Amino acid sequence: MADSKTILSAAEEKMDMAIMYLDEALAHIRAGKADIRLLDGIRVDSYGSMVPINNVAAVTTPDARSIAIKPWDKSMFRVIEKAIIDSTLGIMPENNGEIIRIGIPPLTEERRKQLAKQCKGEGETAKVSVRNARRDAIDALKKAVKEGMAEDEQKNSEAKLQKVHDKYIKQIDEMLAAKDKEIMTV
């Protein structure tokens, strides 16, 4: 028989994973500011294997509007440039022979609204994950009652679970509000 602490900690772990997913998803949404995590999804061919750009070059943000990529191997310039052009980033890199620069252009009002909508979608996905974790935990508690757990303990555990759920939903809302503010700030 599963005890309530085990069920609650498993649910909380799933909720934590939803928060981590959301944090990662929001990091990849361009908000007008340069962030090296924008390049995380872009892979380049290095000696026969596909690796992230930061494995073959030093990636920095010299200012809020640009990302600088300095490849360690001169032969990687073309490969990195092509990978950035072919990516969904939608930004043209500039190459001066020493450094590849990516200028982050200011977002248009329409693009800002699209990105805000995309953030809301990611947030909703995370909320659904949190709710599913709560539902699974409640089902496990009900099953545990059938196996001999006291009903009082089940009710107390459900109340604790609801508090944890509310805390995570609030955290998701705060993350979305912060990202929305970042996107909408001109």
Side-chain angles (χ1 to χ4, degrees), residues 22-163:
L22 180 63
D23 188 41
E24 192 64 29
L26 292 181
H28 289 91
I29 296 175
R30 184 164 68 91
K33 277 197 317 204
D35 186 353
I36 60 171
R37 293 189 293 183
L38 290 172
L39 302 175
D40 283 355
I42 302 173
R43 301 270 187 248
V44 293
D45 184 17
S46 173
Y47 304 107
S49 60
M50 298 304 278
V51 296
I53 289 177
N54 60 5
N55 284 15
V56 294
V59 182
T60 57
T61 51
D63 57 65
R65 290 260 176 235
S66 65
I67 298 174
I69 304 167
K70 188 171 171 59
W72 296 315
D73 183 359
K74 296 277 185 207
S75 66
M76 292 304 292
F77 270 101
R78 290 265 181 264
V79 179
I80 292 172
E81 229 178 353
K82 182 167 176 13
I84 293 168
I85 292 168
D86 294 345
S87 74
T88 58
L89 206 55
I91 299 174
M92 195 68 179
E94 301 165 18
N95 177 356
N96 67 3
E98 293 289 317
I99 292 176
I100 298 171
R101 284 194 187 285
I102 302 174
I104 308 293
L107 298 168
T108 63
E109 188 63 30
E110 185 179 323
R111 184 72 178 133
R112 286 178 197 283
K113 287 178 180 165
Q114 280 179 336
L115 291 174
K117 199 174 190 180
Q118 186 181 344
C119 287
K120 282 186 180 68
E122 295 292 357
E124 200 49 49
T125 303
K127 284 181 178 181
V128 167
S129 297
V130 169
R131 291 182 192 120
N132 286 343
R134 177 186 60 179
R135 187 198 59 223
D136 293 346
I138 287 173
D139 291 347
L141 286 168
K142 286 180 181 171
K143 186 178 174 198
V145 167
K146 288 179 183 169
E147 294 173 2
M149 180 193 284
E151 281 189 31
D152 297 3
E153 188 178 343
Q154 179 211 2
K155 294 290 181 210
N156 291 341
S157 296
E158 280 186 24
K160 284 180 193 169
L161 184 63
Q162 186 61 43
K163 283 183 181 151

Side-chain angles (χ1 to χ4, degrees), residues 161-177:
L161 184 63
Q162 186 61 43
K163 283 183 181 151
V164 169
H165 166 269
D166 293 345
K167 180 184 87 172
Y168 279 99
I169 293 293
K170 184 175 183 243
Q171 191 176 349
I172 289 170
D173 287 337
E174 287 168 357
M175 289 169 74
L176 287 175

